[in-house]
Amino acid sequence: MLLVQNLREDKEAVLAGLSKKKFKLLHLVDEAINKDDIRKKEQNQLDELLSQSKKLSEQIGMLMKAGKIEDAQKLKNENAILKEESKTQQERLESIEKELYEILVQLPNLPHSSVPEGSTPNDNEVVYMHGSTPELYIGALPHWELCSKYDIIDFELGVKLTGAGFPVYKGKGAKLQRALINFFLDSAHNEGYHEVQPPILVNADSGYGTGQLPDKEGQMYFITQDEFYLIPTAEVPVTNIYRNVILKAEDFPVKNTAYTPCFRREAGSYGKDVRGLNRLHQFDKVEIVQIQHPEKSYETLEEMRTYVAGILMKLNLPFRTLKLCGGDMSFASALTYDMEVFSAAQKKWLEVSSVSNFESFQANRLKLRYREGTNKPILAHTLNGSALALPRIVAAILENNQTPDGIKIPEVLVPYTGFDWIN
RNA sequence: GGAGACUUGUCCGAGUGGUUGAAGGAGCAAGCCUGGAAAGUUUGUAUACGCGCAAGUGUAUCGAGGGUUCGAAUCCCUCAGUCUCCGCCA
């Protein structure tokens, strides 16, 4: 969420940034400022009323003690009027605040100056390419067919147990999952990330904290009986650890990593994009989250991006890094790099990681701040990235490493799997 | 799931209707003291919003939300959490 203060101070830059993000409702900026002006006036009036009422109460107290019941009664009547007024004033203020909030939550984060212009994925800028796309032999199969050929991932069985998008991993398929999770966690650990195991159900406050609520409510599974949401990403619980927290400047950088299953309803998705492992309702992911000093967050973003690229290199997967254009970036992000691996049989680039700097956009909602010395608390910057999401990595490994004799496991994973071929 | 006790500032802890944003202590910071440190001593030490160039000042906040009252940390209700006992159970 943006601060009204920022809208006031640099309105032109805000409007330019919003336009770059292809945000249409530019009038909301002025509306927010006007609403905030009203809010200030209303608050002033309320404070004035409450202040008067408070003084009267004190006087009543003294009169009562002195036994001047009648005088006290007079003031009581006077105060009753004030009380009525302040109550309606309170309601007025609250509704103004709510209106202001509702305007502000509609405004997306402003893009970093280096974000390319553009409105569709075609406008994303390829900033890095690694590896060559493998030539497969005649008769090579897409991963979903490899899954059933070697009986390692069973989509139909998942349909029986739950529904589409909830596959059952079997045998070497299951072991490969475990291997990847451990490999990713160990890598993150070596990079200085602190491992946490958060709950995978969260309350509404956490949903609001990272911005899944209120607008992306339909994306999450919801347990009505206890009012819990299944997390769509570990970002939600791991970042919310720092909701309403004031860090010290010397705590930076805060680096956490977590493996969790992720749950996404993916309402509206269908067709070939969701074939096999391309899009699931439940999948595994290792996430990295950092909280950083505002002056260092972009340095950190590059470091995270390099780190994720390093993992993909170790897995020997061809990939490219995209800097997303203004129109393709997520609502909360100021700068996002997407990492896509090439899936050789589908001949498709698959997004396996998204590394973003949210600057203070999330921190504002979270009330995540830091203090430098004895100064006032300042909003921190938050960043996160997938490192990595499993299913598409598995798809790429299966497709790219297939041979007529089976699937070769990347060397770096063999110590984790305990086998080097799926056949 | 049932019964009871509890939830106060960074921490410990006082406070059962009247000027309490909150005693006292610890911690932390600064000053004095010291060759330096410890001890001692003085001062300061929450957050949000508003007003003010600033010093400062108004309002709100004692788990959360609501209520009673002229006035609530203190009384009542709802919810959440912690602890103890019982029940159940990986």
Side-chain angles (χ1 to χ4, degrees):
Chain A
M1 195 160 76
L2 296 174
L3 296 160
V4 190
Q5 196 192 340
N6 296 351
L7 305 186
R8 285 180 192 281
E9 281 168 6
D10 212 352
K11 200 166 104 180
E12 292 312 309
V14 168
L15 290 173
L18 291 175
S19 303
K20 196 176 193 180
K21 263 210 160 165
K22 305 300 164 195
F23 182 72
K24 299 283 191 282
L25 310 171
L26 295 179
H27 62 278
L28 289 179
V29 173
D30 276 326
E31 273 180 39
I33 294 172
N34 293 339
K35 198 64 82 176
D36 193 48
D37 287 337
I38 299 171
R39 193 200 105 244
K40 286 180 181 181
K41 277 193 207 114
E42 300 292 343
Q43 161 129 29
N44 242 326
Q45 285 179 32
L46 176 64
D47 285 358
E48 184 54 39
L49 288 170
L50 287 174
S51 179
Q52 283 178 29
S53 170
K54 217 171 151 179
K55 279 180 195 135
L56 278 181
S57 289
E58 285 172 18
Q59 286 175 30
I60 293 167
M62 287 191 290
L63 290 172
M64 296 289 265
K65 264 186 191 162
K68 299 180 180 167
I69 311 285
E70 278 173 32
D71 292 348
Q73 189 56 46
K74 223 171 116 190
L75 290 185
K76 271 195 201 184
N77 295 338
E78 217 173 294
N79 208 2
I81 300 164
L82 273 180
K83 207 193 158 191
E84 270 310 302
E85 278 180 48
S86 60
K87 200 169 178 182
T88 53
Q89 183 62 25
Q90 176 89 45
E91 281 161 10
R92 199 178 307 161
L93 178 64
E94 273 167 17
S95 77
I96 295 280
E97 279 175 342
K98 193 164 168 246
E99 284 167 34
L100 175 60
Y101 174 81
E102 270 156 19
I103 294 170
L104 287 175
V105 292
Q106 289 183 63
L107 297 173
N109 199 3
L110 304 174
H112 185 256
S113 59
S114 76
V115 167
E117 292 286 348
S119 45
T120 71
N122 296 328
D123 301 316
N124 294 337
E125 186 184 315
V126 178
V127 293
Y128 189 77
M129 290 279 271
H130 176 84
S132 50
T133 57
E135 285 299 315
L136 297 181
Y137 60 95
I138 311 264
L141 301 170
H143 69 266
W144 50 88
E145 288 184 32
L146 293 167
C147 286
S148 50
K149 179 175 173 187
Y150 296 109
D151 196 24
I152 49 173
I153 302 178
D154 194 329
F155 295 98
E156 286 74 23
L157 187 53
V159 170
K160 173 181 171 183
L161 300 181
T162 307
F166 293 91
V168 178
Y169 301 85
K170 298 154 83 174
K172 285 184 170 176
K175 281 195 170 167
L176 179 58
Q177 292 288 115
R178 256 203 294 147
L180 282 165
I181 292 164
N182 284 328
F183 169 59
F184 293 153
L185 284 174
D186 285 352
S187 302
H189 172 81
N190 293 336
E191 189 71 9
Y193 288 91
H194 177 69
E195 184 176 341
V196 291
Q197 243 186 62
I200 57 180
L201 302 184
V202 294
N203 57 28
D205 282 348
S206 294
Y208 281 100
T210 32
Q212 278 70 28
L213 295 176
D215 39 318
K216 282 171 229 149
E217 180 142 29
Q219 177 70 282
M220 290 191 286
Y221 289 97
F222 181 57
I223 315 259
T224 52
Q225 191 164 16
D226 296 291
E227 302 195 327
F228 292 141
Y229 294 85
L230 275 74
I231 58 169
T233 159
E235 168 197 341
V236 179
V238 175
T239 311
N240 270 282
I241 292 173
Y242 301 93
R243 169 154 45 87
N244 292 323
V245 166
I246 300 176
L247 296 164
K248 298 193 196 81
E250 55 265 34
D251 293 335
F252 293 133
V254 176
K255 301 172 80 170
N256 285 315
T257 185
Y259 152 71
T260 66
C262 302
F263 303 89
R264 298 187 183 178
R265 294 186 61 233
E266 302 291 2
S269 302
Y270 56 89
K272 62 177 165 43
D273 286 344
V274 306
R275 196 85 196 263
L277 294 167
N278 290 350
R279 177 157 288 154
L280 299 174
H281 289 306
Q282 177 180 336
F283 63 95
D284 292 309
K285 179 161 64 62
V286 172
E287 183 81 2
I288 50 176
V289 176
Q290 289 211 39
I291 302 166
Q292 186 51 292
H293 192 285
E295 280 166 23
K296 294 204 179 136
S297 64
Y298 279 95
E299 217 172 285
T300 295
L301 180 68
E302 293 304 316
E303 168 205 312
M304 290 169 79
R305 168 196 155 196
T306 308
Y307 166 67
V308 175
I311 304 179
L312 292 170
M313 287 180 204
K314 283 188 192 158
L315 288 171
N316 221 355
L317 292 169
F319 71 92
R320 63 181 188 184
T321 303
L322 306 173
K323 187 187 261 188
L324 297 192
C325 72
D328 199 32
M329 282 167 71
S330 75
F331 188 78
S333 171
L335 181 55
T336 297
Y337 291 110
D338 270 9
M339 321 289 255
E340 300 183 334
V341 297
F342 191 74
S343 194
Q346 295 186 78
K347 294 191 168 48
K348 262 170 75 164
W349 291 99
L350 300 178
E351 181 192 333
V352 289
S353 178
S354 191
V355 184
S356 303
N357 187 354
F358 302 100
E359 296 190 359
S360 60
F361 194 81
Q362 280 186 331
N364 186 23
R365 277 223 204 161
L366 289 161
K367 293 204 175 65
L368 161 53
R369 291 162 295 171
Y370 72 97
R371 194 197 300 275
E372 207 126 39
T374 54
N375 294 330
K376 281 255 159 199
I378 300 169
L379 292 174
H381 280 193
T382 60
L383 306 96
N384 67 47
S386 349
L388 291 150
L390 294 239
R392 293 174 189 165
I393 292 287
V394 171
I397 290 175
L398 296 180
E399 294 187 9
N400 297 15
N401 295 10
Q402 64 182 303
T403 72
D405 301 321
I407 295 153
K408 180 106 175 71
I409 299 295
E411 218 151 289
V412 73
L413 287 179
V414 174
Y416 290 95
T417 54
F419 54 84
D420 46 16
W421 285 89
I422 293 173
N423 48 21

